[in-house]
Amino acid sequence: MHKLRNILCIIPPHMLREIGEKGTANQRTLALATLSHSNEIRSLRFQKEMVERAAMMRAPTKQRNVYDAKNGSQLPGTLVRTEGDPISTDTAVNEAFDGAGATYDMFFEVYGRNSIDNNGMRLDSTVHYQKGFDNAFWDGKQMVYGDGDEDLPPAEQLFRRFTASLDVIGHELTHGVTQFEANLNYFSQPGALNESMSDVFGSLVKQRLRGDTAGQADWIIGEGLFTSNVNGVGIRSMKAPGTAYNDPVLGKDPQPAHMSNYVNTIEDNGGVHINSGIPNHAFYVASIEIGGNAWEKAGQIWYKTLADKLNSTSNFQDAANLTFEAAGELFGANSLEQNAVKKGWEEVGIAVGAPPQGEGCLTAVLRAVGLAK
Amino acid sequence: MTRIEFERSGGFMGRKVTLNLNLDELPPDQAQTLSLLIDESDFFNLPDSPAKPPVPDSFLYTITVTTDTRQHTVHTSDTTAPERLRPLLIDLSARARAR
Ligand SMILES: [Zn+2]
């Protein structure tokens, strides 16, 4: 069932209805469950809109907790800094606290969103997770940061602590926002879109704090994460995907910047951190075309798309069509902004308005329910 | 004969690191430590424990242990690994990163 949920991605409702009418008892149950699931999503979305409007009327409720895992694996760990506390003597604690604050502020002040759930949810972060943990993640409830590979001899260290990069913090917190909004499945194209949303808003938090226009920004994700042992400027480049690093130990940045180089793989949940280069670059191009501060117009378009338009199974083509639609709603049909969005997707090989490509997925589910060979 | 194949993929960077160990070729003290960690994890009776749904940016681990008489593979993650597997997971991660 879990697997089927995933591949039911693009089955159009009429097809599900057909299965519901003509399929076996099992197939009917499955199809009807999926149909009612999408109806449920629509009514939930309506309720959420009401909540969002109410939230806009309220004052911000920024609540941050930072915990210390003390190199262990237990989450959240020991509470070491909460809202109103003085600055800690621990740099990682302060970075997690301040980074969560900068991200909260952008979502509230620019997009009118009150925290991860748009209802003032407390922002919990844990630092010093495990030993030699060269990673950061969002576990569904909180952000978690490792210290890099501090356990290796200095000459072999590749990564610094993961709180050192503000866009990483914005990236993790945005995974929380996505979870409460489009809830993009973390696999294949929906997963790469999920990743891209995190890179987009992570980068925007940094750009806004620095006061960089789209033209001035470096568009690097994870800037400052590598030690000087690594030949690279960061983990990913939205401006030029595939060029962030090229190193004897780490290899070369594997991100494509165009659909013609899309990577089909089952590793990394279907290449979610690889193919995110494609929507990342579309956002970059749209931002440059629009000009000025990327968090203002391009960011609004992407935020509206994430909050109101995408769903858990949306693919790149859907994202292209829906960001185009959102740009039209926000700035007008055929506006400079809407044309910029179109150009952004064109540059990565996706024509806005083309029908979603989903034959493979459709065939897969029909096969799964026994209606195709 | 005991062999360990270890793979860590995913993560914020999406970088895969792998490790292949033949305990017979390791210094005896290291081989002994790893044998102990395998035993203490009750490895051959461990079920898969991947995060479902996937945890964004989490590492994904695959461990296979092969002896003369049996072979077993476990898929797991940082947030879902059973406590008794963690010491082995952490040891193998450290070795894989150090190469
Ligand atoms: Zn991520």
Side-chain angles (χ1 to χ4, degrees):
Chain A
M1 189 63 199
H2 175 77
K3 272 212 171 109
L4 278 176
R5 265 278 155 85
N6 275 342
I7 49 173
L8 281 170
C9 47
I10 48 66
I11 302 296
H14 69 85
M15 186 72 77
L16 287 170
R17 248 171 250 127
E18 188 125 324
I19 298 173
E21 283 160 17
K22 297 181 188 160
T24 65
N26 259 349
Q27 292 160 359
R28 274 202 305 277
T29 313
L30 183 66
L32 293 174
T34 309
L35 261 180
S36 72
H37 183 62
S38 12
N39 287 334
E40 190 183 313
I41 287 170
R42 271 190 284 277
S43 96
L44 280 176
R45 182 153 278 176
F46 177 73
Q47 284 176 23
K48 186 169 64 61
E49 254 174 45
M50 296 296 111
V51 172
E52 273 169 18
R53 276 181 209 162
M56 298 281 283
M57 316 291 285
R58 290 197 300 270
T61 46
K62 182 162 56 179
Q63 283 294 323
R64 291 164 288 177
N65 276 1
V66 181
Y67 301 83
D68 187 345
K70 300 182 174 169
N71 300 125
S73 301
Q74 289 298 325
L75 291 173
T78 309
L79 180 64
V80 288
R81 187 173 172 190
T82 189
E83 210 63 46
D85 280 357
I87 290 174
S88 166
T89 50
D90 183 332
T91 307
V93 169
N94 295 327
E95 285 169 341
F97 190 85
D98 294 343
T103 308
Y104 177 95
D105 290 347
M106 181 184 77
F107 275 107
F108 187 81
E109 289 163 18
V110 183
Y111 309 120
R113 182 182 190 84
N114 186 10
S115 191
I116 286 174
D117 63 348
N118 200 13
N119 196 25
M121 177 177 165
R122 194 180 66 213
L123 306 174
D124 286 351
S125 313
T126 294
V127 297
H128 307 309
Y129 181 75
Q130 296 189 357
K131 216 181 271 179
F133 193 71
D134 47 352
N135 202 18
F137 62 89
W138 163 259
D139 83 342
K141 297 188 207 96
Q142 66 156 104
M143 293 153 276
V144 182
Y145 303 97
D147 289 331
D149 43 20
E150 81 290 351
D151 57 332
L152 297 180
E156 291 174 28
Q157 290 175 8
L158 308 173
F159 298 96
R160 299 173 63 225
R161 59 180 188 281
F162 271 61
T163 47
S165 189
L166 175 59
D167 51 70
V168 171
I169 295 174
H171 176 110
E172 296 311 332
L173 201 150
T174 303
H175 276 311
V177 173
T178 297
Q179 180 182 311
F180 278 89
E181 296 293 347
N183 197 20
L184 289 151
N185 288 339
Y186 205 65
F187 188 79
S188 190
Q189 284 197 22
L193 276 178
N194 189 325
E195 268 306 306
S196 178
M197 285 294 171
S198 276
D199 280 352
V200 161
F201 292 103
S203 180
L204 291 181
V205 171
K206 188 174 78 172
Q207 292 178 29
R208 181 167 180 260
L209 202 75
R210 291 188 183 179
D212 286 346
T213 63
Q216 290 165 337
D218 61 19
W219 296 94
I220 297 296
I221 300 299
E223 184 208 14
L225 277 195
F226 289 140
T227 66
S228 55
N229 296 326
V230 177
N231 181 38
V233 290
I235 308 277
R236 291 183 276 278
S237 167
M238 299 178 70
K239 184 175 181 174
T243 67
Y245 59 90
N246 191 355
D247 180 80
V249 181
L250 289 177
K252 188 183 168 298
D253 176 359
Q255 284 215 307
H258 193 277
M259 284 305 282
S260 57
N261 296 317
Y262 186 91
V263 179
N264 281 300
T265 173
I266 54 158
E267 278 169 14
D268 183 30
N269 290 306
V272 295
H273 295 90
I274 298 174
N275 293 312
S276 55
I278 294 167
N280 275 0
H281 193 59
F283 180 80
Y284 163 79
V285 173
S287 300
I288 292 291
E289 287 292 313
I290 294 170
N293 298 322
W295 62 88
E296 288 171 2
K297 289 180 173 177
Q300 287 284 4
I301 295 167
W302 255 247
Y303 179 72
K304 185 179 174 64
T305 306
L306 176 64
D308 299 342
K309 295 184 180 292
L310 294 171
N311 64 47
S312 61
T313 59
S314 300
N315 63 18
F316 289 3
Q317 184 66 56
D318 296 326
N321 295 350
L322 295 171
T323 48
F324 183 77
E325 189 178 287
E329 287 165 13
L330 287 167
F331 301 103
N334 210 24
S335 56
L336 179 151
E337 292 80 4
Q338 197 185 34
N339 288 322
V341 170
K342 190 176 177 196
K343 171 126 195 263
W345 290 105
E346 262 167 20
E347 290 230 349
V348 300
I350 296 174
V352 164
Q357 340 98 316
E359 267 318 290
C361 195
L362 177 58
T363 311
V365 79
L366 290 178
R367 206 181 291 123
V369 299
L371 292 182
K373 284 197 175 164
Chain B
M1 190 274 308
T2 301
R3 280 191 294 116
I4 303 176
E5 287 163 70
F6 172 82
E7 183 186 296
R8 188 192 82 178
S9 70
F12 187 86
M13 191 172 174
R15 175 174 75 118
K16 185 169 85 169
V17 296
T18 57
L19 177 73
N20 282 296
L21 293 174
N22 183 341
L23 297 203
D24 298 341
E25 293 167 4
L26 286 178
D29 59 323
Q30 287 189 35
Q32 205 183 349
T33 303
L34 283 164
S35 293
L36 198 66
L37 291 178
I38 292 168
D39 288 347
E40 284 176 350
S41 71
D42 193 16
F43 188 83
F44 291 97
N45 293 313
L46 281 176
D48 269 353
S49 50
K52 275 186 185 172
V55 167
D57 302 324
S58 171
F59 286 135
L60 312 166
Y61 302 95
T62 305
I63 310 170
T64 301
V65 177
T66 309
T67 69
D68 292 323
T69 52
R70 47 191 177 169
Q71 180 176 65
H72 185 58
T73 298
V74 168
H75 299 91
T76 191
S77 78
D78 287 298
T79 50
T80 52
E83 279 311 309
R84 63 182 196 264
L85 177 62
R86 281 193 194 279
L88 179 64
L89 200 57
I90 287 167
D91 186 290
L92 294 175
S93 292
R95 288 170 190 272
R97 282 185 298 111
R99 309 211 143 197

